[in-house]
Amino acid sequence: MRTLRWRLLLTYVGVLAMVLLILGLVLNTAISRALYAEDQARLTGEATAAVALGQRGYERLINGRSGDCAGAISYQQAFDQAIASPLTAGHPAISAVYLVDQNGSVLAPEAGPVAVGSAAPDLSATRLAQVNARIAAARRFTGFGPIPQATISYNTTGGSGQRIAVTLIAVRYRSVSQCADALNASYGIVEVITTYDATRVALARIQLLLLMVLGGALVAGIAIGGPLIAGALRPLARMSQVAGRIAQGDLTQRVRLPHGGDEIGQLADTFDEMVSRIEQAFAAQHASEERMRQFIADASHELRTPLTSIRGYTDVLLRGAKDDPETAEQVLITVRREAERMSRLVNDLLTLARLDAGRPLELRRVDLAALAGEAVDQARLLAGEREVTMRSEADHLAVYADPDRLKQVLLILLDNALKYGRQDAGGWVRVRLGRSQCGVFVSVSDNGRGISAEDLPHVFDRFYRAQRAAQRRMTNAHTAARATGSQPAAGAVAGPARAPTPEGSGLGLPIALAILRAHGSTLSAESQLGAGSTFTMELPLPPAGSAPPPSPMPGPSSAPSARA
Ligand code: ADP
């Protein structure tokens, strides 16, 4: 009973019953009014006609033979004989007929249930007054018999509490004492009391029929409405089931309701969309947690290596190496190198953490060519006999950036190009600047070892090092080969990256990418194994209306053409 379906059904049945009840009452009232009115009109007509007919006999009886009044009888007797008896005998609905005077006292019949002289039953004083008024208005009327314009009919409640109709027919009559006096006559009122027995019986039948029809309509309404309500609520039940399964953790569940755009269908669509978003958010959160877990594991691993070697070297010192000044110096130099490596790593981690936290950049208009020139100059110091060149393909390449951070990116790319480039005199690093479709680009190319297609998509991942990944692949291939007794795949054993692995932590490119993203810029990599790599960053142009570009810095970096 607490379910929505039951509540809806109850409401529906209640409303339907109410409507049918009101309809039944209106119909019953209308039908009974019509029936009673028709019956009353018919009886009034019949009574008036019967009184008019009886009046002629009454005249004859009461007046005897004209002239000597011989045979005249009292008007009470005459009324009973000529009017009252024929009326009650001819019309079963007529229960009583009285002749009353203008005050409402019974004049006839003498032997009736109400004594002559007492007040007539069911006579309304108001109606009597109305009839009297009409009689007064019709005084000039000279003939005997009913005065049609003074006839009144009304409904009232009889002694038994039942509805009865009373018809008052004004008549002009002559008593025995007036029989000889043709002009002198009295005015009286014939009161015809009618019961609605036949109408009541007919009405009861109609009411029963009405009750049956309306009851049938109610049952039919329930029979049709019940399944309709159940059908309309079925999608909600389905949604509830799906929501239950989702609550248990199965985020792949969907309602997928076929519908024609109704409200429940729209709700189901919105529900599905919401669950999809929740699923995506969960997946994103899971991936982020996984990345964080991996990051922490990698960071710990990277920090553990220098720490282990520092501990090892201090053990060597403690075990007596300190007594040999040469060995002690060697050990201390190594310890310092490891400490520096660790400090570099910690600095990189700190930079990444700050970038992740969205620390605000100190943005201003920067001359990109000047900035790149400074970075190239710094790189040349480390390049040895290798060639580091820069070529600017446009003048005044201004960007809106944090110059320190942007220079950090350039140094990372140049450092990588030198680290992973050819180490002999044939090695070169080329920096190109120019305008791109959406802004300004800077590319750093080298002719070094390159990056395999397998590693290329991962070089921007934190702690990813192509060399280490290659070693891992090689180890896995050897293990698999040992397990199967076969030869490992050629590519897995002898890659072109046979040169000594340069020092690094796998955080340079992720830092560069994070800095550029904070600038709304992009960084992409192209590489061919054994042929070299090109890293290209694209920066948006400064917003219109910002300060004019600073004058190019003096020195070789301002030159737009190729430089050595
Ligand atoms: P790191 O240089 O400290 O190892 P990076 O994030 O700068 O870390 O680079 C990630 C990896 O991408 C490097 O380990 C290297 O394998 C590869 N890589 C980056 N730049 C180059 C390049 N210019 N040539 C070849 N490999 C590169």
Side-chain angles (χ1 to χ4, degrees):
M1 277 292 174
R2 283 194 173 175
T3 60
L4 181 62
R5 185 183 159 185
W6 276 108
R7 270 184 282 159
L8 274 179
L9 191 65
L10 277 182
T11 313
Y12 165 73
V13 170
V15 170
L16 185 66
M18 191 81 82
V19 169
L20 290 176
L21 189 72
I22 292 170
L23 186 71
L25 287 175
V26 168
L27 276 177
N28 180 44
T29 311
I31 291 171
S32 63
R33 265 198 197 165
L35 277 185
Y36 279 122
E38 192 201 324
D39 214 19
Q40 188 183 8
R42 185 175 54 78
L43 283 171
T44 305
E46 282 178 12
T48 313
V51 169
L53 189 72
Q55 189 70 22
R56 280 199 288 278
Y58 166 77
E59 282 285 325
R60 206 175 49 247
L61 286 171
I62 202 165
N63 295 331
R65 284 188 301 278
S66 54
D68 57 357
C69 294
I73 59 170
S74 79
Y75 68 85
Q76 284 94 342
Q77 288 171 333
F79 178 79
D80 193 29
Q81 217 176 316
I83 297 177
S85 296
L87 263 178
T88 44
H91 300 275
I94 294 175
S95 62
V97 181
Y98 300 102
L99 177 69
V100 298
D101 64 13
Q102 284 182 272
N103 298 318
S105 304
V106 174
L107 296 173
E110 271 183 310
V114 181
V116 170
S118 54
D122 306 317
L123 194 60
S124 148
T126 327
R127 302 299 182 157
L128 185 65
Q130 269 178 15
V131 175
N132 282 332
R134 290 184 185 187
I135 290 172
R139 276 250 177 224
R140 55 192 166 75
F141 181 79
T142 49
F144 292 95
I147 307 164
Q149 61 269 43
T151 300
I152 275 186
S153 183
Y154 61 92
N155 286 308
T156 183
T157 311
S160 57
Q162 280 184 341
R163 184 186 175 113
I164 54 169
V166 177
T167 308
L168 302 179
I169 305 160
V171 288
R172 199 156 175 266
Y173 69 95
R174 252 183 325 191
S175 63
V176 178
S177 56
Q178 296 165 329
C179 77
D181 184 359
L183 295 175
N184 201 2
S186 299
Y187 289 94
I189 298 154
V190 179
E191 183 189 19
V192 181
I193 299 174
T194 319
T195 57
Y196 283 115
D197 288 345
T199 311
R200 250 197 303 279
V201 170
L203 211 57
R205 282 200 195 125
I206 289 171
Q207 280 167 347
L208 185 69
L209 196 69
L210 211 59
L211 210 64
M212 278 161 62
V213 169
L214 296 182
L218 186 67
V219 171
I222 295 170
I224 295 168
L228 276 181
I229 289 174
L233 293 180
R234 206 164 293 129
L236 284 182
R238 183 168 156 67
M239 279 175 71
S240 161
Q241 273 174 8
V242 171
R245 285 203 284 269
I246 289 167
Q248 280 165 9
D250 184 1
L251 286 174
T252 59
Q253 290 289 326
R254 297 288 181 277
V255 182
R256 283 195 194 95
L257 204 68
H259 67 91
D262 61 352
E263 287 82 352
I264 295 186
Q266 284 170 11
L267 177 68
D269 284 353
T270 315
F271 180 84
D272 281 350
E273 204 180 305
M274 186 186 75
V275 177
S276 295
R277 291 209 178 160
I278 291 174
E279 192 183 11
Q280 280 166 15
F282 262 104
Q285 192 192 351
H286 184 72
S288 154
E289 279 169 6
E290 185 55 34
R291 273 202 306 278
M292 183 56 72
R293 201 187 56 73
Q294 189 60 45
F295 181 72
I296 292 168
D298 290 341
S300 317
H301 181 77
E302 287 296 324
L303 283 169
R304 203 176 55 188
T305 315
L307 277 173
T308 311
S309 46
I310 287 172
R311 209 175 54 202
Y313 283 115
T314 43
D315 280 352
V316 170
L317 272 183
L318 287 172
R319 274 206 299 272
K322 63 178 182 305
D323 301 332
D324 175 8
E326 214 174 299
T327 318
E329 192 188 345
Q330 237 2 82
V331 166
L332 285 173
I333 287 170
T334 316
V335 167
R336 197 179 65 185
R337 202 182 58 231
E338 289 301 315
E340 279 169 0
R341 191 175 142 200
M342 211 160 69
S343 127
R344 266 200 312 277
L345 187 69
V346 170
N347 275 340
D348 283 353
L349 286 173
L350 203 62
T351 308
L352 266 179
R354 282 178 181 155
L355 285 165
D356 285 350
R359 281 263 184 109
L361 299 165
E362 288 179 20
L363 295 175
R364 56 174 185 268
R365 228 175 140 90
V366 176
D367 181 351
L368 197 59
L371 200 75
E374 282 175 35
V376 165
D377 288 344
Q378 262 176 263
R380 277 199 193 110
L381 299 175
L382 305 168
E385 43 186 0
R386 288 174 290 172
E387 191 185 47
V388 182
T389 59
M390 184 176 112
R391 191 159 64 94
S392 179
E393 293 169 5
D395 285 330
H396 306 309
L397 287 172
V399 287
Y400 203 61
D402 184 329
D404 292 342
R405 293 276 176 226
L406 203 55
K407 191 166 170 190
Q408 193 180 356
V409 174
L410 287 164
L411 288 176
I412 288 170
L413 297 181
L414 284 164
D415 184 49
N416 278 354
L418 290 172
K419 254 192 324 189
Y420 304 110
R422 269 173 66 170
Q423 302 296 312
D424 57 17
W428 49 255
V429 176
R430 286 172 190 160
V431 178
R432 257 179 74 222
L433 290 84
R435 289 196 188 280
S436 67
Q437 250 182 347
C438 339
V440 176
F441 77 87
V442 183
S443 69
V444 178
S445 312
D446 65 68
N447 61 342
R449 61 176 71 185
I451 307 165
S452 73
E454 227 170 346
D455 291 320
L456 197 58
H458 300 289
V459 288
F460 296 107
D461 293 353
R462 293 176 182 188
F463 292 110
Y464 192 86
R465 305 205 67 221
Q467 304 75 19
R468 204 165 44 200
Q471 272 165 15
R472 232 187 338 256
R473 283 198 294 272
M474 216 167 351
T475 317
N476 290 347
H478 275 296
T479 317
R482 260 206 302 278
T484 57
S486 62
Q487 284 292 312
V493 182
R498 284 239 138 161
T501 307
E503 204 177 280
S505 60
L507 289 178
L509 288 179
I511 288 176
L513 183 67
I515 291 173
L516 287 172
R517 276 193 180 151
H519 281 83
S521 310
T522 58
L523 179 60
S524 59
E526 285 170 63
S527 187
Q528 214 181 342
L529 202 58
S533 315
T534 299
F535 285 83
T536 309
M537 56 172 151
E538 275 198 83
L539 298 126
L541 285 173
S546 62
S551 55
M553 286 176 80
S557 56
S558 61
S561 56
R563 33 194 295 278

